[in-house]
Amino acid sequence: EEGGVGMSAVAETVVSDEKRHVAVRPWKTPIIFAVFTVLFALLPIAAPREGESTFRLVRSADAAIQVPDLVLPSNFTAWVCVVLMAAATALAIVWTRAGRRIPLWLVTIYVIVLLVGFLTWASAGANLPMIGLLGGALTLATPLIFGALGGVIGERVGVVNIAIEAQLLAGAFTAALIGTVTGTPWLGLIAAMIAGLLVGLVLAVFAITYYVSQIIVGVVLNVLVIGLTTFFFSTVMSDDPAKFNAPNVFPTLPIPFLSEIPVIGPVLFRQTI
């Protein structure tokens, strides 16, 4: 009987432990919202800017679809964005206290309001070419996205690739050099692929075949490629840039109809290959 009572108590304890759960409330998003809201509110307080900011939404006057410029009062728009950001922060706090998950649309709206407010405050009394700004952001983000994807694939097969910077730098240097010497950007593109492949091959051989620490090999490759490209740039390219550092660029390929859409057309559908 004593054993039966003991087993019954243990069973009740196990059942009660299974029913007991702790609700974890992630406060990261509300805290980030609050910090950025306070920091952004300090801008119009400490350095108010008078005047208007002009967002130019069309690159040229001969565009098929004309969109008027968006003119916003700088200081007033900044304060409106502060109020909207504070409202989003309060909403995130309420939802977090209630145990609800912060939806992605709220984070997206918050980021857009923050960017619009900062750009309006920063470009007071000036024109802001949105097409060039967004197109340049897309151009700069593309190699970073490819590098991140390569890192994710490496993680999935068990290789920590921190030599992505070396691959990008070796590819850029080789593309500029080969593209200039041969006079065609296509060979420069192929040479960049081969250069990145060789850097990845060195990492794979040392990490997989010889079991060298992946972190150490990645750091060594980053330092090695930075040193080599810096040396050859200063000793070869800088001495005769017209011969070694003036590659041709790929032509822009506008997609019919899609490239004429205001704002997103020139940014997404009027790019190089």
Side-chain angles (χ1 to χ4, degrees), residues 143 163-179 187-202 220-230 232-233 237:
I164 300 174
E165 180 183 359
Q167 291 178 285
L168 294 176
L169 188 56
F173 177 86
T174 308
L177 180 63
I178 301 300
L187 291 180
L189 178 63
I190 296 174
M193 296 178 184
I194 296 175
L197 185 147
L198 291 177
V199 175
L201 178 63
V202 173
V220 171
L221 285 175
N222 284 334
V223 175
L224 175 64
V225 174
I226 290 175
L228 289 176
T229 53
T230 302
F232 286 114
F233 175 79
M237 285 187 169

Side-chain angles (χ1 to χ4, degrees), residues 114-141:
L114 174 61
L115 291 177
V116 171
F118 178 77
L119 291 176
T120 305
W121 174 84
S123 62
N127 294 331
L128 194 63
M130 294 301 298
I131 304 300
L133 181 65
L134 296 175
L138 178 64
T139 301
L140 294 177

Side-chain angles (χ1 to χ4, degrees), residues 18-236:
E18 290 179 353
K19 293 181 179 180
R20 186 185 303 117
H21 65 277
V22 179
V24 179
R25 297 174 180 174
W27 287 93
K28 180 175 64 175
T29 301
I31 291 175
I32 294 176
F33 279 12
V35 170
F36 275 93
T37 301
V38 172
L39 292 177
F40 180 71
L42 294 176
L43 294 180
I45 294 176
R49 295 196 171 193
E50 302 298 332
E52 296 179 337
S53 300
T54 303
F55 290 81
R56 194 172 300 279
L57 304 178
V58 178
R59 176 172 291 178
S60 60
D62 57 351
I65 301 177
Q66 292 294 326
V67 177
D69 296 339
L70 180 61
V71 181
L72 299 175
S74 301
N75 214 46
F76 176 77
T77 304
W79 279 115
V80 171
C81 292
V82 169
V83 173
L84 295 177
M85 293 164 59
T89 303
L91 187 58
I93 293 174
V94 171
W95 280 347
T96 302
R97 288 178 60 88
R100 297 178 57 184
R101 184 176 181 181
I102 306 298
L104 181 60
W105 63 264
L106 182 63
V107 179
T108 303
I109 292 176
Y110 184 91
V111 172
I112 292 176
V113 172
L114 174 61
L115 291 177
V116 171
F118 178 77
L119 291 176
T120 305
W121 174 84
S123 62
N127 294 331
L128 194 63
M130 294 301 298
I131 304 300
L133 181 65
L134 296 175
L138 178 64
T139 301
L140 294 177
T142 300
L144 300 181
I145 293 174
F146 280 134
L149 288 175
V152 170
I153 294 174
E155 291 283 352
R156 294 297 298 272
V157 300
V159 176
V160 180
N161 183 9
I162 64 170
I164 300 174
E165 180 183 359
Q167 291 178 285
L168 294 176
L169 188 56
F173 177 86
T174 308
L177 180 63
I178 301 300
T180 304
V181 173
T182 61
T184 171
W186 289 102
L187 291 180
L189 178 63
I190 296 174
M193 296 178 184
I194 296 175
L197 185 147
L198 291 177
V199 175
L201 178 63
V202 173
L203 173 65
V205 169
F206 279 93
I208 299 175
T209 304
Y210 298 107
Y211 302 103
V212 181
S213 173
Q214 301 168 7
I215 304 299
I216 294 178
V217 177
V219 172
V220 171
L221 285 175
N222 284 334
V223 175
L224 175 64
V225 174
I226 290 175
L228 289 176
T229 53
T230 302
F231 172 76
F232 286 114
F233 175 79
S234 60
T235 58
V236 177

